[in-house]
Amino acid sequence: GAVVSQHPSRVICKSGTSVKIECRSLDFQATTMFWYRQFPKKSLMLMATSNEGSKATYEQGVEKDKFLINHASLTLSTLTVTSAHPEDSSFYICSARGEAGYNSPLHFGNGTRLTVT
Amino acid sequence: DQQVKQNSPSLSVQEGRISILNCDYTNSMFDYFLWYKKYPAEGPTFLISISSIKDKNEDGRFTVFLNKSAKHLSLHIVPSQPGDSAVYFCAASETGGSYIPTFGRGTSLIVHP
């Protein structure tokens, strides 16, 4: 089945620094990837849709200058949290849809636990 | 405004018994529903789905029931096993819309041996 790899799984950074999270589709091409954020005891909140070769589409309330998304190839999307602050600490998860069509289930990476000190 | 609601944050069931996880939705345009299972520190994994043209879909120990008039779906796990202990997310999407699923807050299932 479709495999999505996310790296790193855990990162601790100091306030003011930037952190890059990578999301790769290992055995399929993903023209679209999705970035989610999960707060404790909350649902998965869609942050943005990453489109290969074009600009990402951000959900309302998500700062595009703070959460930079790059989707330079059909198998790689990156999320960079710029000038991180403690309130950015969260669990970030990427996902991609398999090649079976628009209604095929999303395949998720294992997530990245970001802690900003 | 939550469009997908899982009103029970947790559920505890004894091994061998049936687990029933519930999900309600408010958007009548949703026509495709999915359940995902998530272990701690891992991403969700797809479990089972159902299209609005059906009212039941079964896959081994897992069955999803859809009641469109009530905007309600449920996931039945029988018999429950300790390895089923996880957080279960209900998700819904709109075919012809964005196709991007909207997730509920999840229900934490604990299956006791």
Side-chain angles (χ1 to χ4, degrees):
Chain A
V3 176
V4 174
S5 174
Q6 189 171 340
H7 178 81
S9 59
R10 183 180 295 266
V11 58
I12 301 173
C13 71
K14 291 188 175 181
S15 189
T17 61
S18 295
V19 173
K20 181 186 282 188
I21 303 170
E22 291 187 348
C23 181
R24 294 179 185 274
S25 57
L26 294 187
D27 52 358
F28 66 103
Q29 294 183 332
T31 54
T32 304
M33 291 185 175
F34 306 95
W35 286 94
Y36 286 85
R37 180 175 179 176
Q38 186 184 20
F39 294 98
K41 301 188 188 303
K42 299 286 187 183
S43 67
L44 297 165
M45 302 299 297
L46 179 66
M47 297 175 64
T49 301
S50 169
N51 304 297
E52 187 268 335
S54 64
K55 291 182 179 180
T57 304
Y58 290 82
E59 296 300 300
Q60 192 173 11
V62 178
E63 300 175 60
K64 62 181 180 182
D65 294 330
K66 180 166 188 61
F67 298 99
L68 298 179
I69 291 174
N70 183 277
H71 195 153
S73 78
L74 287 170
T75 59
L76 174 64
S77 175
T78 60
L79 168 68
T80 301
V81 183
T82 63
S83 187
H85 287 99
E87 56 265 31
D88 299 325
S89 298
S90 192
F91 192 59
Y92 294 87
I93 314 176
C94 72
S95 68
R97 200 180 300 280
E99 295 172 312
Y102 284 112
N103 249 351
S104 60
L106 296 181
H107 300 277
F108 286 86
N110 276 339
T112 297
R113 171 68 62 189
L114 171 63
T115 303
V116 184
T117 60
Chain B
D1 179 36
Q2 269 200 294
Q3 296 188 68
V4 178
K5 301 178 184 179
Q6 292 177 259
N7 291 320
S8 297
S10 63
L11 175 67
S12 183
V13 171
Q14 193 163 11
E15 181 179 8
R17 302 280 185 129
I18 184 171
S19 295
I20 301 176
L21 297 103
N22 293 303
C23 178
D24 297 289
Y25 60 97
T26 57
N27 188 341
S28 59
M29 299 301 291
F30 286 147
D31 58 3
Y32 188 64
F33 306 90
L34 311 95
W35 284 94
Y36 285 83
K37 177 179 178 179
K38 183 182 181 300
Y39 292 115
E42 292 185 10
T45 55
F46 169 70
L47 196 56
I48 192 169
S49 65
I50 188 168
S51 164
S52 61
I53 62 174
K54 294 185 175 182
D55 54 18
K56 176 183 175 181
N57 189 24
E58 189 173 352
D59 183 3
R61 296 185 296 114
F62 302 91
T63 303
V64 56
F65 294 92
L66 175 63
N67 182 335
K68 290 185 290 293
S69 60
K71 294 192 181 68
H72 176 84
L73 64 153
S74 60
L75 174 68
H76 292 213
I77 306 173
V78 56
S80 302
Q81 298 173 355
D84 296 329
S85 299
V87 176
Y88 290 79
F89 288 96
C90 169
S93 65
E94 177 188 340
T95 305
S98 70
Y99 297 93
I100 303 172
T102 299
F103 286 84
R105 292 188 175 188
T107 296
S108 176
L109 172 66
I110 299 173
V111 180
H112 296 284

